Amino acid sequence: MTNHEEPPDVRPLALAWVGRHLEAGERVIRTEVLHGGITAEMRKLTISIPGGDTRDLVLRTFVGVEQAQDWLEREAGALAVLPGTGVPAPALVAVDPTATHCEYPSLLMTHLPGRPVLDDEGLDRRLPLLARRLAAIHALRPAKRPREYVALTTADTVVVPEGADAAAWAAAAEVIRKPPPPRPGRFLHRDFQPGNVLFDVSPSASAEVRITGVVDWAAASWGPADLDVAHCSAVLALLHGPAWGLRFPEAYEEAGGELAADADERLYWLVRDGLASSEEVEPVARAWRSAGRTDLTTRTVEERLDAYVTALMKASG
């Protein structure tokens, strides 16, 4: 690539905007599409530094997404308060939430090492790390709180999988017809799950596994810790099997996190996020397949969701 060539895959206005936020003498020399996301385009940008070295940034772009401004403002706000907290998160470089400068709403941030691990192998070692990291996020008390959480799923928007346990799903829907139980507010990631956690993966089976980053803070919110735990539990159930989703709340408490003491209150949050998953099974399964989990057909994920929701209701009754 010569100095005058533009790297592929980055729209011209966005590329110019990125360039205005680079240091003198730096330029974008390579781009790489990052797979696995559902709502945003993600690209790693390799930046040449005078003297021959390089560094990487990440460009996050929302195309045709109604909530883009809200999500990017939430993410920028979260990334602004996380430095110095011990939570490994990208550093904010720039944000254009209203597409004033770029073709579409965009955010530019630093690139973190590591990668998401979606494989079943080694999950027993990663689960406690996920729980500890989430408990640490919930322990943060930022000077400026993010906005209150939003839960869009209702009993009437739930999509019951074909062949599901109708009685269990009907009972689950009744659970979330009730008002949310009052719980203390905490700093929430709101989409904390294996796809948004980066691991330093060593080829050695005996090497220590560690988390190198937590990404995708676009839904950062203030609300009950139970909601974040419920979301991670539901994703674990769909990605790795219902038993893993059922195990996560216990792992979270073992890591020092606090959940509702009342069983009915716990059930409310777990069921709410399990049912919310029913509305996006197909795009989630498609994203996981593109990330290498070719075994996760839409039908497989639907069956796991049914088994998970059914297990939650059986445990409650």
Side-chain angles (χ1 to χ4, degrees), residues 108-131:
L108 187 66
M109 57 190 149
T110 58
H111 177 267
L112 297 178
R115 63 176 177 83
V117 181
L118 305 183
D119 299 332
D120 293 336
E121 184 180 357
L123 181 57
D124 56 333
R125 299 167 66 193
R126 299 193 302 275
L127 192 76
L129 301 182
L130 292 169

Side-chain angles (χ1 to χ4, degrees), residues 183-208:
R183 289 286 294 144
R186 295 289 183 265
F187 184 73
L188 305 182
H189 180 281
R190 202 61 179 89
D191 191 17
F192 186 89
Q193 42 93 0
N196 287 330
V197 178
L198 308 180
F199 284 89
D200 177 18
V201 183
S202 169
S204 171
S206 60
E208 180 184 0

Side-chain angles (χ1 to χ4, degrees), residues 76-308:
L79 296 183
V81 302
L82 288 171
T85 64
V87 175
L92 177 67
V93 176
V95 63
D96 181 18
T98 58
T100 302
H101 307 286
C102 303
E103 288 85 350
Y104 298 99
S106 301
L107 183 143
L108 187 66
M109 57 190 149
T110 58
H111 177 267
L112 297 178
R115 63 176 177 83
V117 181
L118 305 183
D119 299 332
D120 293 336
E121 184 180 357
L123 181 57
D124 56 333
R125 299 167 66 193
R126 299 193 302 275
L127 192 76
L129 301 182
L130 292 169
R132 287 200 291 271
R133 179 52 61 197
L134 186 56
I137 291 171
H138 293 162
L140 299 178
R141 299 292 182 268
K144 183 179 179 181
R145 293 181 180 179
R147 279 169 279 180
E148 291 288 322
Y149 78 93
V150 176
L152 300 178
T153 298
T154 70
D156 299 318
T157 60
V158 171
V159 180
V160 180
E162 182 180 351
D165 185 323
W169 280 74
E174 289 304 311
V175 168
I176 68 167
R177 288 189 192 278
K178 304 170 187 175
R183 289 286 294 144
R186 295 289 183 265
F187 184 73
L188 305 182
H189 180 281
R190 202 61 179 89
D191 191 17
F192 186 89
Q193 42 93 0
N196 287 330
V197 178
L198 308 180
F199 284 89
D200 177 18
V201 183
S202 169
S204 171
S206 60
E208 180 184 0
V209 179
R210 66 184 184 93
I211 290 174
T212 58
V214 180
V215 298
D216 193 353
W217 295 83
S221 309
W222 189 259
D226 301 71
L227 190 54
D228 259 358
V229 173
H231 182 64
C232 191
S233 296
V235 174
L236 287 167
L238 273 56
L239 184 59
H240 301 293
W244 291 103
L246 297 171
R247 283 176 56 177
F248 188 69
E250 181 180 355
Y252 175 80
E253 288 188 305
E254 291 173 350
E258 295 183 9
L259 296 174
D262 182 81
D264 288 341
E265 291 186 13
R266 288 195 185 208
L267 179 68
Y268 177 89
W269 299 109
L270 290 168
V271 166
R272 169 167 283 287
D273 206 276
L275 296 184
S277 300
S278 73
E279 300 178 24
E280 51 186 20
V281 167
E282 185 175 352
V284 166
R286 184 169 60 247
W288 285 341
R289 289 195 298 274
S290 73
R293 286 299 303 270
T294 56
D295 57 311
L296 293 178
T297 65
T298 299
R299 185 59 187 153
T300 296
V301 176
E302 286 178 337
E303 290 172 348
R304 288 183 173 183
L305 177 59
D306 178 38
Y308 177 62

Side-chain angles (χ1 to χ4, degrees), residues 8-56:
D9 301 324
V10 178
R11 298 174 179 90
L13 292 179
L15 184 64
W17 176 73
V18 169
R20 291 196 290 273
H21 294 282
L22 300 180
E23 299 295 330
E26 293 186 339
R27 61 186 180 87
V28 179
I29 59 170
R30 187 166 56 253
T31 70
E32 176 186 344
V33 176
L34 301 177
H35 296 284
I38 298 175
T39 55
E41 294 180 359
M42 303 288 291
R43 292 177 175 86
K44 182 171 77 169
L45 312 180
T46 299
I47 314 299
S48 70
I49 302 174
D53 289 335
T54 63
R55 66 186 180 103
D56 294 326

